[in-house]
Amino acid sequence: MSGLFTAAFLRQSGWDAEVYERSTAELAGRGAGITTHPELLEALQKSGAGTRDLGVEVEKRIALDRTGRVIGEKHLRQVLTSWDRLQRLLRATIDPAHYHLGWNFERVEQEGCGVRVHFSGGRVEHGAILVGGDGIRSGVRAAIMPEVQPIYAGYYIWRGAPNEADLSRRALNEVFPYFSFFLPPRQEVICYPIAGFNDDLRPGYRRFNFIWYRVADATLLKEMCVDDKGHQHDYSVPPPRIRKDLITGLRDEAEEALPPAINDCLRAIEQPFFTPIYDFIAPRIVSGRVALVGDAASNARPHMGFGVSKAACDAQALADALRDHDDIDTALAEYNRIRQPIGEIIVRHSRKLGTHMGVNLQTDEDRAMHQLLQDPRAMMDWIAVPNFLDAYR
Ligand SMILES: Cc1cc2nc3c(=O)[nH]c(=O)nc-3n(C[C@H](O)[C@H](O)[C@H](O)COP(=O)(O)OP(=O)(O)OC[C@H]3O[C@@H](n4cnc5c(N)ncnc54)[C@H](O)[C@@H]3O)c2cc1C
């Protein structure tokens, strides 16, 4: 996302921007849901991607108790989109001649007034700048700041996106139309409707984004990252390789723990998968002629659903700085000055919201926030709401 946004904005101001993606096939997002924010909508418009058929609009949030009774409501119109839809809109802004699949970044050499970038297979490209939009485990960041490493938050998410057509009548009536919350102690279940396969927004053809936050210490996470063939993975396990005993355990637990309509949603997910939550702050996001954007620059826990919005704003700010300054080094310094502190604010805010999970509460402020967020109404007021950055301006 950040790479595509960056290329779209840079091309608008006359730069020749080339996108190098390590995947050999067009990317797909496994139905991941993305909450939208005003910043994202604006960036989509300005980048030329547009917001056509962006997603599903919900009118309100609801919180359920274990029996399925609605215990809280908040009216908040919000468009929920999907990773696939955003990728498709942004991908269309880049001429295929400038989008290169199967290019795996390996290292960068900084020359006086540019970069020499090495990719797998001995391929080398030269440029005035290198923008690292290569995600939380960024190889570009590792090349310029190897000391900055993502930190495990102490919790992970079970996820999936069942088809609307596979949901029970109970789930369709009680939770599908809403941004739904179920919030037992040290857990969060969040669900909302998104577009279906091929961005289909027709009733009956949409999907339902399901997320269940669970606490796990590093030892338990490591054990979960052993796959069905006994292979230990570093960070997470590709969905088809997740051990069956974990999925059986999840489903058994859900029968007892979840409101019936939400459990119906989990039952409709053929292959639930898990994502451990990490975050980090980088002290700078520029080094010489290398700039970082999106998750490569800083990565917040996903409680605000703001990662793609942040990526879009980084990309826009970088292109604006390069447009407004004749000298590239001055422009990059300006980009760092503006965006590094914002990235840091976003990560710290996500840690505040993460206190709901009750993990590693270190200060009185953490404990007070944890207490506050035990009230479902507070969660509905804080989680993935628009304009949360206004409080920091
Ligand atoms: C559970 C969860 C829920 C989320 N919910 C939301 C939400 O509701 N709303 C929201 O806005 N955000 C959400 N996010 C965050 C969002 O997904 C990310 O912030 C966003 O995808 C970041 O985009 P990016 O382009 O910076 O990085 P990525 O999406 O990680 O993309 C990096 C790209 O770089 C490529 N790459 C990596 N290494 C190399 C290399 N060596 N050479 C070449 N290419 C390489 C990768 O293949 C990939 O295509 C969520 C995240 C999680 C984990």
PDB file of all heavy atoms in Angstrom, residues 10-34:
ATOM      1  N   LEU A  10       4.326  10.529  -6.213  1.00  0.00           N
ATOM      2  CA  LEU A  10       5.556  11.033  -6.835  1.00  0.00           C
ATOM      3  C   LEU A  10       5.365  11.251  -8.331  1.00  0.00           C
ATOM      4  O   LEU A  10       5.828  12.239  -8.900  1.00  0.00           O
ATOM      5  CB  LEU A  10       6.710  10.057  -6.595  1.00  0.00           C
ATOM      6  CG  LEU A  10       7.342  10.085  -5.207  1.00  0.00           C
ATOM      7  CD1 LEU A  10       8.421   9.020  -5.080  1.00  0.00           C
ATOM      8  CD2 LEU A  10       7.938  11.464  -4.896  1.00  0.00           C
ATOM      9  N   ARG A  11       4.670  10.343  -8.963  1.00  0.00           N
ATOM     10  CA  ARG A  11       4.456  10.487 -10.412  1.00  0.00           C
ATOM     11  C   ARG A  11       3.658  11.751 -10.711  1.00  0.00           C
ATOM     12  O   ARG A  11       3.894  12.410 -11.719  1.00  0.00           O
ATOM     13  CB  ARG A  11       3.741   9.257 -10.968  1.00  0.00           C
ATOM     14  CG  ARG A  11       4.648   8.064 -10.975  1.00  0.00           C
ATOM     15  CD  ARG A  11       4.258   6.946 -11.906  1.00  0.00           C
ATOM     16  NE  ARG A  11       5.486   6.253 -12.296  1.00  0.00           N
ATOM     17  CZ  ARG A  11       6.182   6.504 -13.386  1.00  0.00           C
ATOM     18  NH1 ARG A  11       5.748   7.391 -14.258  1.00  0.00           N
ATOM     19  NH2 ARG A  11       7.305   5.862 -13.630  1.00  0.00           N
ATOM     20  N   GLN A  12       2.728  12.096  -9.790  1.00  0.00           N
ATOM     21  CA  GLN A  12       1.941  13.323 -10.006  1.00  0.00           C
ATOM     22  C   GLN A  12       2.832  14.556 -10.042  1.00  0.00           C
ATOM     23  O   GLN A  12       2.514  15.531 -10.702  1.00  0.00           O
ATOM     24  CB  GLN A  12       0.906  13.501  -8.890  1.00  0.00           C
ATOM     25  CG  GLN A  12      -0.324  12.653  -9.090  1.00  0.00           C
ATOM     26  CD  GLN A  12      -1.327  12.875  -7.975  1.00  0.00           C
ATOM     27  OE1 GLN A  12      -1.009  13.458  -6.945  1.00  0.00           O
ATOM     28  NE2 GLN A  12      -2.539  12.413  -8.186  1.00  0.00           N
ATOM     29  N   SER A  13       3.938  14.506  -9.268  1.00  0.00           N
ATOM     30  CA  SER A  13       4.780  15.702  -9.293  1.00  0.00           C
ATOM     31  C   SER A  13       5.996  15.519 -10.195  1.00  0.00           C
ATOM     32  O   SER A  13       7.029  16.160 -10.018  1.00  0.00           O
ATOM     33  CB  SER A  13       5.162  16.145  -7.881  1.00  0.00           C
ATOM     34  OG  SER A  13       5.606  15.068  -7.114  1.00  0.00           O
ATOM     35  N   GLY A  14       5.876  14.606 -11.147  1.00  0.00           N
ATOM     36  CA  GLY A  14       6.848  14.549 -12.228  1.00  0.00           C
ATOM     37  C   GLY A  14       8.025  13.607 -12.028  1.00  0.00           C
ATOM     38  O   GLY A  14       8.933  13.566 -12.849  1.00  0.00           O
ATOM     39  N   TRP A  15       7.999  12.829 -10.941  1.00  0.00           N
ATOM     40  CA  TRP A  15       9.100  11.890 -10.721  1.00  0.00           C
ATOM     41  C   TRP A  15       8.876  10.609 -11.539  1.00  0.00           C
ATOM     42  O   TRP A  15       7.737  10.207 -11.777  1.00  0.00           O
ATOM     43  CB  TRP A  15       9.159  11.495  -9.233  1.00  0.00           C
ATOM     44  CG  TRP A  15       9.791  12.534  -8.369  1.00  0.00           C
ATOM     45  CD1 TRP A  15       9.234  13.721  -7.992  1.00  0.00           C
ATOM     46  CD2 TRP A  15      11.080  12.481  -7.781  1.00  0.00           C
ATOM     47  NE1 TRP A  15      10.099  14.412  -7.196  1.00  0.00           N
ATOM     48  CE2 TRP A  15      11.257  13.668  -7.048  1.00  0.00           C
ATOM     49  CE3 TRP A  15      12.112  11.539  -7.790  1.00  0.00           C
ATOM     50  CZ2 TRP A  15      12.424  13.938  -6.337  1.00  0.00           C
ATOM     51  CZ3 TRP A  15      13.267  11.805  -7.073  1.00  0.00           C
ATOM     52  CH2 TRP A  15      13.418  13.009  -6.364  1.00  0.00           C
ATOM     53  N   ASP A  16       9.983   9.981 -11.926  1.00  0.00           N
ATOM     54  CA  ASP A  16       9.898   8.629 -12.488  1.00  0.00           C
ATOM     55  C   ASP A  16      10.001   7.683 -11.298  1.00  0.00           C
ATOM     56  O   ASP A  16      11.082   7.522 -10.736  1.00  0.00           O
ATOM     57  CB  ASP A  16      11.081   8.354 -13.424  1.00  0.00           C
ATOM     58  CG  ASP A  16      10.955   9.152 -14.707  1.00  0.00           C
ATOM     59  OD1 ASP A  16       9.821   9.436 -15.108  1.00  0.00           O
ATOM     60  OD2 ASP A  16      12.002   9.495 -15.283  1.00  0.00           O
ATOM     61  N   ALA A  17       8.887   7.106 -10.923  1.00  0.00           N
ATOM     62  CA  ALA A  17       8.901   6.206  -9.756  1.00  0.00           C
ATOM     63  C   ALA A  17       8.664   4.777 -10.225  1.00  0.00           C
ATOM     64  O   ALA A  17       7.717   4.505 -10.960  1.00  0.00           O
ATOM     65  CB  ALA A  17       7.822   6.629  -8.764  1.00  0.00           C
ATOM     66  N   GLU A  18       9.538   3.891  -9.793  1.00  0.00           N
ATOM     67  CA  GLU A  18       9.401   2.471 -10.136  1.00  0.00           C
ATOM     68  C   GLU A  18       9.074   1.702  -8.857  1.00  0.00           C
ATOM     69  O   GLU A  18       9.676   1.954  -7.816  1.00  0.00           O
ATOM     70  CB  GLU A  18      10.710   1.925 -10.714  1.00  0.00           C
ATOM     71  CG  GLU A  18      11.229   2.673 -11.931  1.00  0.00           C
ATOM     72  CD  GLU A  18      10.350   2.478 -13.158  1.00  0.00           C
ATOM     73  OE1 GLU A  18       9.834   1.361 -13.347  1.00  0.00           O
ATOM     74  OE2 GLU A  18      10.173   3.460 -13.925  1.00  0.00           O
ATOM     75  N   VAL A  19       8.132   0.776  -8.943  1.00  0.00           N
ATOM     76  CA  VAL A  19       7.767  -0.031  -7.768  1.00  0.00           C
ATOM     77  C   VAL A  19       8.338  -1.436  -7.947  1.00  0.00           C
ATOM     78  O   VAL A  19       8.079  -2.089  -8.967  1.00  0.00           O
ATOM     79  CB  VAL A  19       6.229  -0.118  -7.605  1.00  0.00           C
ATOM     80  CG1 VAL A  19       5.866  -0.960  -6.384  1.00  0.00           C
ATOM     81  CG2 VAL A  19       5.614   1.265  -7.504  1.00  0.00           C
ATOM     82  N   TYR A  20       9.092  -1.889  -6.941  1.00  0.00           N
ATOM     83  CA  TYR A  20       9.678  -3.232  -6.975  1.00  0.00           C
ATOM     84  C   TYR A  20       9.054  -4.055  -5.862  1.00  0.00           C
ATOM     85  O   TYR A  20       9.189  -3.723  -4.685  1.00  0.00           O
ATOM     86  CB  TYR A  20      11.196  -3.164  -6.776  1.00  0.00           C
ATOM     87  CG  TYR A  20      11.872  -2.354  -7.861  1.00  0.00           C
ATOM     88  CD1 TYR A  20      12.159  -1.009  -7.655  1.00  0.00           C
ATOM     89  CD2 TYR A  20      12.181  -2.927  -9.084  1.00  0.00           C
ATOM     90  CE1 TYR A  20      12.757  -0.257  -8.644  1.00  0.00           C
ATOM     91  CE2 TYR A  20      12.777  -2.182 -10.087  1.00  0.00           C
ATOM     92  CZ  TYR A  20      13.060  -0.843  -9.864  1.00  0.00           C
ATOM     93  OH  TYR A  20      13.640  -0.091 -10.853  1.00  0.00           O
ATOM     94  N   GLU A  21       8.361  -5.121  -6.230  1.00  0.00           N
ATOM     95  CA  GLU A  21       7.646  -5.962  -5.271  1.00  0.00           C
ATOM     96  C   GLU A  21       8.265  -7.352  -5.283  1.00  0.00           C
ATOM     97  O   GLU A  21       8.446  -7.929  -6.358  1.00  0.00           O
ATOM     98  CB  GLU A  21       6.157  -6.010  -5.671  1.00  0.00           C
ATOM     99  CG  GLU A  21       5.330  -7.103  -5.023  1.00  0.00           C
ATOM    100  CD  GLU A  21       5.370  -7.080  -3.497  1.00  0.00           C
ATOM    101  OE1 GLU A  21       5.109  -6.023  -2.912  1.00  0.00           O
ATOM    102  OE2 GLU A  21       5.680  -8.139  -2.900  1.00  0.00           O
ATOM    103  N   ARG A  22       8.527  -7.868  -4.093  1.00  0.00           N
ATOM    104  CA  ARG A  22       9.222  -9.160  -4.054  1.00  0.00           C
ATOM    105  C   ARG A  22       8.326 -10.326  -4.510  1.00  0.00           C
ATOM    106  O   ARG A  22       8.817 -11.303  -5.075  1.00  0.00           O
ATOM    107  CB  ARG A  22       9.762  -9.354  -2.646  1.00  0.00           C
ATOM    108  CG  ARG A  22       9.223 -10.497  -1.868  1.00  0.00           C
ATOM    109  CD  ARG A  22       9.792 -10.609  -0.500  1.00  0.00           C
ATOM    110  NE  ARG A  22       8.744 -10.407   0.489  1.00  0.00           N
ATOM    111  CZ  ARG A  22       8.939 -10.386   1.790  1.00  0.00           C
ATOM    112  NH1 ARG A  22      10.155 -10.491   2.264  1.00  0.00           N
ATOM    113  NH2 ARG A  22       7.952 -10.223   2.606  1.00  0.00           N
ATOM    114  N   SER A  23       7.024 -10.212  -4.265  1.00  0.00           N
ATOM    115  CA  SER A  23       6.131 -11.307  -4.660  1.00  0.00           C
ATOM    116  C   SER A  23       6.171 -11.486  -6.179  1.00  0.00           C
ATOM    117  O   SER A  23       6.194 -10.510  -6.929  1.00  0.00           O
ATOM    118  CB  SER A  23       4.702 -10.976  -4.211  1.00  0.00           C
ATOM    119  OG  SER A  23       3.798 -11.876  -4.803  1.00  0.00           O
ATOM    120  N   THR A  24       6.133 -12.754  -6.605  1.00  0.00           N
ATOM    121  CA  THR A  24       6.167 -12.997  -8.051  1.00  0.00           C
ATOM    122  C   THR A  24       4.762 -12.949  -8.644  1.00  0.00           C
ATOM    123  O   THR A  24       4.605 -12.852  -9.848  1.00  0.00           O
ATOM    124  CB  THR A  24       6.779 -14.384  -8.359  1.00  0.00           C
ATOM    125  OG1 THR A  24       6.107 -15.334  -7.538  1.00  0.00           O
ATOM    126  CG2 THR A  24       8.271 -14.400  -8.051  1.00  0.00           C
ATOM    127  N   ALA A  25       3.744 -13.004  -7.778  1.00  0.00           N
ATOM    128  CA  ALA A  25       2.361 -12.972  -8.266  1.00  0.00           C
ATOM    129  C   ALA A  25       1.668 -11.728  -7.721  1.00  0.00           C
ATOM    130  O   ALA A  25       2.071 -11.201  -6.679  1.00  0.00           O
ATOM    131  CB  ALA A  25       1.625 -14.212  -7.787  1.00  0.00           C
ATOM    132  N   GLU A  26       0.632 -11.275  -8.415  1.00  0.00           N
ATOM    133  CA  GLU A  26      -0.152 -10.134  -7.909  1.00  0.00           C
ATOM    134  C   GLU A  26      -0.597 -10.447  -6.486  1.00  0.00           C
ATOM    135  O   GLU A  26      -0.995 -11.581  -6.180  1.00  0.00           O
ATOM    136  CB  GLU A  26      -1.377  -9.886  -8.795  1.00  0.00           C
ATOM    137  CG  GLU A  26      -1.059  -9.201 -10.113  1.00  0.00           C
ATOM    138  CD  GLU A  26      -0.677  -7.717  -9.968  1.00  0.00           C
ATOM    139  OE1 GLU A  26      -0.847  -7.149  -8.872  1.00  0.00           O
ATOM    140  OE2 GLU A  26      -0.184  -7.151 -10.965  1.00  0.00           O
ATOM    141  N   LEU A  27      -0.570  -9.436  -5.630  1.00  0.00           N
ATOM    142  CA  LEU A  27      -0.851  -9.665  -4.217  1.00  0.00           C
ATOM    143  C   LEU A  27      -2.353  -9.795  -3.961  1.00  0.00           C
ATOM    144  O   LEU A  27      -3.168  -9.200  -4.655  1.00  0.00           O
ATOM    145  CB  LEU A  27      -0.301  -8.502  -3.395  1.00  0.00           C
ATOM    146  CG  LEU A  27       1.212  -8.317  -3.492  1.00  0.00           C
ATOM    147  CD1 LEU A  27       1.617  -6.969  -2.941  1.00  0.00           C
ATOM    148  CD2 LEU A  27       1.923  -9.430  -2.751  1.00  0.00           C
ATOM    149  N   ALA A  28      -2.694 -10.563  -2.935  1.00  0.00           N
ATOM    150  CA  ALA A  28      -4.097 -10.683  -2.514  1.00  0.00           C
ATOM    151  C   ALA A  28      -4.117 -10.691  -0.990  1.00  0.00           C
ATOM    152  O   ALA A  28      -3.168 -11.167  -0.346  1.00  0.00           O
ATOM    153  CB  ALA A  28      -4.706 -11.968  -3.057  1.00  0.00           C
ATOM    154  N   GLY A  29      -5.200 -10.149  -0.434  1.00  0.00           N
ATOM    155  CA  GLY A  29      -5.196  -9.879   1.006  1.00  0.00           C
ATOM    156  C   GLY A  29      -5.970 -10.847   1.877  1.00  0.00           C
ATOM    157  O   GLY A  29      -6.288 -10.528   3.017  1.00  0.00           O
ATOM    158  N   ARG A  30      -6.298 -12.015   1.372  1.00  0.00           N
ATOM    159  CA  ARG A  30      -7.007 -13.020   2.180  1.00  0.00           C
ATOM    160  C   ARG A  30      -8.235 -12.424   2.852  1.00  0.00           C
ATOM    161  O   ARG A  30      -8.580 -12.766   3.971  1.00  0.00           O
ATOM    162  CB  ARG A  30      -6.108 -13.564   3.287  1.00  0.00           C
ATOM    163  CG  ARG A  30      -4.925 -14.337   2.799  1.00  0.00           C
ATOM    164  CD  ARG A  30      -4.290 -15.039   3.980  1.00  0.00           C
ATOM    165  NE  ARG A  30      -2.942 -15.424   3.682  1.00  0.00           N
ATOM    166  CZ  ARG A  30      -1.872 -14.987   4.338  1.00  0.00           C
ATOM    167  NH1 ARG A  30      -2.002 -14.160   5.350  1.00  0.00           N
ATOM    168  NH2 ARG A  30      -0.676 -15.385   4.005  1.00  0.00           N
ATOM    169  N   GLY A  31      -8.853 -11.435   2.217  1.00  0.00           N
ATOM    170  CA  GLY A  31     -10.094 -10.894   2.764  1.00  0.00           C
ATOM    171  C   GLY A  31      -9.916 -10.025   3.983  1.00  0.00           C
ATOM    172  O   GLY A  31     -10.867  -9.785   4.713  1.00  0.00           O
ATOM    173  N   ALA A  32      -8.697  -9.528   4.230  1.00  0.00           N
ATOM    174  CA  ALA A  32      -8.500  -8.699   5.424  1.00  0.00           C
ATOM    175  C   ALA A  32      -9.330  -7.422   5.335  1.00  0.00           C
ATOM    176  O   ALA A  32      -9.347  -6.754   4.302  1.00  0.00           O
ATOM    177  CB  ALA A  32      -7.022  -8.363   5.568  1.00  0.00           C
ATOM    178  N   GLY A  33     -10.001  -7.093   6.429  1.00  0.00           N
ATOM    179  CA  GLY A  33     -10.818  -5.880   6.473  1.00  0.00           C
ATOM    180  C   GLY A  33      -9.978  -4.680   6.856  1.00  0.00           C
ATOM    181  O   GLY A  33      -9.006  -4.805   7.613  1.00  0.00           O
ATOM    182  N   ILE A  34     -10.339  -3.523   6.337  1.00  0.00           N
ATOM    183  CA  ILE A  34      -9.620  -2.290   6.644  1.00  0.00           C
ATOM    184  C   ILE A  34     -10.659  -1.212   6.971  1.00  0.00           C
ATOM    185  O   ILE A  34     -11.515  -0.902   6.132  1.00  0.00           O
ATOM    186  CB  ILE A  34      -8.778  -1.827   5.422  1.00  0.00           C
ATOM    187  CG1 ILE A  34      -7.735  -2.876   5.028  1.00  0.00           C
ATOM    188  CG2 ILE A  34      -8.153  -0.464   5.666  1.00  0.00           C
ATOM    189  CD1 ILE A  34      -6.521  -2.966   5.933  1.00  0.00           C
TER     190      ILE A  34
END
